Amino acid sequence: MSELKIVVIGGVACGPKAAARAKRCNPSAQVTLIEKGEWISYGGCGLPYYLGATVKDLNDLMTTSWEAVRTPEFMKNTKDIDTLLGWEATKINREEKTVEVKEVKTGEVKVLPYDKLVIATGADNFKPPMEGIDATGVFGMKTPKDAVDMQNYIKVEGVESAVVIGAGLIGMECAEAFANWGLDVTIIEMQNSIFPQVLDPEMGAVFQNYLEGEDLNFMLNTKVEKILVNEEGKVSGVQTDKGVVDAQLVLVAVGVRPMVQLAVDAGLEVDKGIIINEYCQTSDPDIYAGGDCVMTTNIVSGQRVYAPMGSTANRQGRVIGTNITGGNDTHPGVLNTAVCKMFDWSLGATGLSERVAKQLGYDTITAIVPGPDITHFMPGKKLIMTRLVADRKTRKILGVQIVGPGKVDKRIDTMAAALSFGVTADQLANIDLSYAPPLSSAMENLTNAANVMRNTMDGKAHDMRFEEFNSKLDSDDVVFVDLRTAHERSQKPIPAKNQLHIPIEELRARANEVPKDKEVVVFCILSTRGFEGQLILNNAGYDNVKFVQGGIQFWPLGK
C-alpha cells in the first residue's frame, strides 16, 4: 500500500496544525506544506504587540513553547513535514488530484499529487478603492513584514501622528501600539461605535470613554473619502466627510476578505468563504478547508457565518489533520468569542450581540450588571460591567459582553461553554461557580447578571437603559432620585434638571418627598441600590419607577 499523500496549502495557522496533526495520526503519511509568504506558523494575532514593542523579537511569534523557531528545517527535522516556503499554489486539478505550485521568486512550476488536500489560504486585508491608498506611509496589518515595515517607518520618518481607519480588533490593538510609541492617534470608524463586530453600542461607548482618557481620539459615523499625499508621495492625512485629519502614517484596518479564488477555480462550493461541513470537508470529500478562508456555523443561531479567528483556525486544523488520516472528528461551529486588552482595560464577548439577535428575529431582553471582579472587601478588586442578551420567549442566553479593568477572560470562557449547551438565565443563575474571596465572589458577576435578567423577565425589575436616562436629564417630566451617599455624589455628579438626594437607607422614611406626578428614575453607582429603591417606591404606591441599568459609574454622562 502506497503512502498517503497529503498536500496542505497555507502555512500560517490552520495549515501547519493540520499537517502536524496528520503526521501524529499517520507517521508514514507524506505531508507537504505550501506557503507563498516568507514565514510559517507565526502568531499573527501577536503582530500588534510586536508593532508596539511589547514583543521585542519578531522570532518570538514563530517559536514553540520550548522556544524553537518554526522554520522549514524545523518542520522537516521535528515533524517530517516537507515545506515549500515561497511557493504559491496556482491550480487544483480535482480529476487528476494534483496541485500546481509556482515559486514566487523564480517562476519555477511543480505539480504535486495528493490523496487528501487541505486549503488553508486564509484571508487578505480589504483594500478599499480610494485615492491615495497606495501612498508611502499607508499600511495594512497581516504579515510580519507589515509590522516590521510600520515600526521602521515610525522610527525613520519621525512619525508624530497616525490615523487608524477601522475600529475593529486589529485596528484598535494597533492604535494602542501607536500610542505606545508616543504618537497622536485618531481612530476613524464608519459605524456608530468601536469594536462594532464585538460590542453593542452601549458597551462600546463605555470602552471608548475609557480610551479617550488614555488620549486616543475617535471619529465615529465618519467616512474616509480619500487619503492625502504630499509632493514626496508620502501620506499627509485623510479627507473625511467631517473634515481633514493630519497624519504621517495611516493604517487601513477595515476588515478582511477570505482568499477563495483557488477554490472557486477548482469548482468547490463557495459563499463568501469556502463551504465546509462539520468534518471540515468541502464539496469535494477529498478536499478539506479551514481557517480564515471558510464559512462556519454560529452555535447559538445555527446560521452560516464568516468568523476569522486564529483560535478557530487552530481548532479546525486539528479536526482536519485527524480526519484526513481516517479519523472522525467534528468542529461544531463558533460563538464569535473574542477578548481584547487595551492599556489597563479588557473587553470580551461571546454569542450573539443584541444587534445581530434582533436582525435574526429574536425578542431580545438585556441585563447590565457592574461589580467587582473579586469579593468587594478584598484589596486589589477591580470593576467589570457584564451585559447579558437573552431571548424573552425561551429565556435562553444568546450572548454576553464584559468590559472593565477587572478580570474578563475567565467569565467569557465560562459563558462560551455555557452557551454551547443552550444555557437559560435560570440555569446560569445556579451554575456551581468557584468561590474564594481573593479570586471571586460568593455571588459571582455572572450569577448576579442572570438573576437581574430573571427579575426583568418576571416583571419584577423595571430598568431604564443608559441612552434613555441620558436623554431625559433635562426633562421637566422626570425626577431623578440619587440613592448615593454625599461623598459618592461629590465624586461623580449628574447634570439632571430635577433631582433629589435621598440615600437608600433613608428612602423608606422619606418616600413622600418624591413627587407622584412625574416619572421617577432611581440610580446609584452600580445599580445594586437601584432595584432596591424601585421596590421601596413601588411598595409606597409609586407605579412609574425605573432604575438605571448598570448604575452610573461606567456611563459617559452627557455625551
Side-chain angles (χ1 to χ4, degrees):
M1 184 175 179
S2 60
E3 290 181 340
L4 178 68
K5 294 183 178 62
I6 299 170
V7 174
V8 179
I9 304 171
V12 178
C14 179
K17 180 66 72 174
R21 176 63 178 171
K23 287 296 293 188
R24 294 188 187 108
C25 293
N26 183 350
S28 64
Q30 179 183 322
V31 180
T32 302
L33 180 66
I34 302 164
E35 169 53 47
K36 69 176 181 179
E38 302 174 52
W39 297 271
I40 55 172
S41 194
Y42 59 84
C45 296
L47 292 174
Y49 303 99
Y50 171 76
L51 173 63
T54 301
V55 175
K56 304 299 182 184
D57 189 335
L58 190 64
N59 280 337
D60 289 345
L61 300 181
M62 307 166 203
T63 58
T64 66
S65 59
W66 63 93
E67 300 184 351
V69 180
R70 297 184 185 97
T71 62
E73 293 75 22
F74 169 85
M75 298 297 282
K76 182 63 178 178
N77 295 335
T78 306
K79 302 179 183 296
D80 193 28
I81 294 171
D82 296 312
T83 303
L84 294 179
L85 190 60
W87 289 74
E88 180 181 6
T90 55
K91 183 179 180 180
I92 298 169
N93 188 320
R94 291 167 56 193
E95 291 185 1
E96 297 182 6
K97 301 186 77 170
T98 60
V99 177
E100 182 180 286
V101 298
K102 180 177 69 174
E103 189 171 26
V104 175
K105 289 183 178 180
T106 67
E108 180 187 349
V109 174
K110 293 182 180 180
V111 176
L112 307 177
Y114 70 85
D115 298 307
K116 301 292 182 182
L117 177 65
V118 180
I119 301 176
T121 44
D124 204 2
N125 292 331
F126 176 60
K127 193 174 180 179
M130 182 186 302
E131 184 180 340
I133 194 75
D134 294 318
T136 300
V138 179
F139 298 90
M141 175 60 95
K142 180 189 175 185
T143 69
K145 184 178 186 302
D146 295 325
V148 171
D149 288 348
M150 266 190 285
Q151 196 179 90
N152 288 339
Y153 194 81
I154 291 170
K155 295 175 183 177
V156 173
E157 297 295 328
V159 174
E160 295 181 352
S161 61
V163 163
V164 177
I165 304 175
L169 287 166
I170 292 296
M172 294 297 287
E173 289 169 348
C174 288
E176 181 188 16
F178 295 144
N180 287 343
W181 281 100
L183 307 189
D184 181 40
V185 184
T186 300
I187 299 100
I188 302 175
E189 170 59 51
M190 286 187 64
Q191 298 193 52
N192 66 347
S193 64
I194 64 174
F195 298 105
Q197 303 303 315
V198 180
L199 299 177
D200 281 311
E202 286 175 305
M203 300 296 272
V206 171
F207 209 87
Q208 179 184 334
N209 191 50
Y210 163 70
L211 292 176
E212 287 173 344
E214 296 291 342
D215 295 327
L216 294 185
N217 307 298
F218 293 91
M219 297 177 65
L220 305 183
N221 292 307
T222 301
K223 180 181 179 181
V224 175
E225 297 175 336
K226 64 179 179 179
I227 295 173
L228 304 176
V229 184
N230 64 21
E231 296 177 353
E232 298 175 351
K234 297 178 181 178
V235 64
S236 61
V238 297
Q239 173 74 56
T240 78
D241 57 359
K242 296 180 181 178
V244 172
V245 182
D246 294 331
Q248 294 88 48
L249 184 150
V250 172
L251 172 68
V252 180
V254 293
V256 298
R257 300 293 185 270
M259 299 177 69
V260 297
Q261 193 58 51
L262 198 62
V264 170
D265 293 344
L268 300 176
E269 187 178 357
V270 174
D271 175 16
K272 184 176 182 180
I274 302 170
I275 303 301
I276 58 173
N277 62 18
E278 61 184 336
Y279 304 101
C280 294
Q281 281 177 305
T282 69
S283 52
D284 184 324
D286 288 325
I287 301 179
Y288 292 71
D292 291 0
C293 63
V294 306
M295 301 294 287
T296 186
T297 300
N298 184 283
I299 294 172
V300 174
S301 69
Q303 300 289 312
R304 184 183 290 165
V305 294
Y306 179 61
M309 189 66 72
S311 51
T312 302
N314 275 277
R315 285 192 288 269
Q316 289 177 334
R318 191 181 194 281
V319 169
I320 291 169
T322 299
N323 293 342
I324 58 179
T325 51
N328 194 41
D329 203 358
T330 59
H331 183 263
V334 300
L335 288 161
N336 291 94
T337 305
V339 290
C340 175
K341 183 177 185 296
M342 292 189 68
F343 303 104
D344 294 325
W345 272 40
S346 299
L347 66 87
T350 189
L352 304 180
S353 66
E354 183 181 22
R355 174 183 59 83
V356 170
K358 284 184 173 180
Q359 290 173 353
L360 293 172
Y362 289 99
D363 183 9
T364 61
I365 187 169
T366 64
I368 295 179
V369 181
D373 60 349
I374 60 176
T375 299
H376 67 278
F377 54 73
M378 293 298 295
K381 65 181 182 293
K382 297 178 181 178
L383 290 177
I384 58 173
M385 177 182 273
T386 302
R387 185 177 199 265
L388 296 183
V389 180
D391 176 38
R392 194 184 301 268
K393 180 180 179 180
T394 63
R395 300 174 75 91
K396 281 187 176 180
I397 304 296
L398 302 175
V400 61
Q401 299 167 23
I402 308 176
V403 302
K407 293 291 185 183
V408 165
D409 54 336
K410 79 166 187 175
R411 293 171 174 92
I412 291 297
D413 290 339
T414 297
M415 287 307 302
L419 290 179
S420 296
F421 297 97
V423 69
T424 66
D426 307 286
Q427 292 167 333
L428 177 58
N430 289 295
I431 291 178
D432 189 16
L433 300 172
S434 62
Y435 167 54
L439 301 173
S440 57
S441 299
M443 291 291 282
E444 220 294 310
N445 289 270
L446 296 175
T447 305
N448 287 333
N451 282 327
V452 170
M453 178 70 76
R454 296 165 82 192
N455 284 333
T456 305
M457 287 177 169
D458 295 339
K460 297 176 181 178
H462 305 289
D463 57 37
M464 174 181 285
R465 296 177 74 147
F466 167 69
E467 297 100 321
E468 185 181 359
F469 167 76
N470 212 26
S471 69
K472 291 185 174 183
L473 292 175
D474 292 328
S475 174
D476 291 323
D477 300 320
V478 181
V479 60
F480 294 87
V481 180
D482 192 337
L483 305 175
R484 298 175 295 167
T485 67
H487 175 70
E488 290 171 332
R489 280 168 57 85
S490 68
Q491 300 299 305
K492 188 172 184 177
I494 71 161
K497 185 174 184 179
N498 299 314
Q499 57 180 302
L500 294 173
H501 176 220
I502 307 178
I504 186 67
E505 296 86 353
E506 302 174 19
L507 186 59
R508 290 182 189 277
R510 297 173 57 188
N512 62 343
E513 297 179 25
V514 181
K516 287 192 173 183
D517 61 344
K518 296 181 183 294
E519 180 181 11
V520 180
V521 178
V522 295
F523 65 91
C524 62
I525 294 178
L526 301 178
S527 203
T528 50
R529 288 164 280 183
F531 178 43
E532 193 76 41
Q534 175 220 303
L535 294 176
I536 290 172
L537 290 176
N538 288 159
N539 190 54
Y542 292 79
D543 296 325
N544 191 10
V545 183
K546 294 180 180 178
F547 65 92
V548 181
Q549 236 188 36
I552 65 165
Q553 179 64 31
F554 281 103
W555 300 122
L557 292 170
K559 293 187 177 182

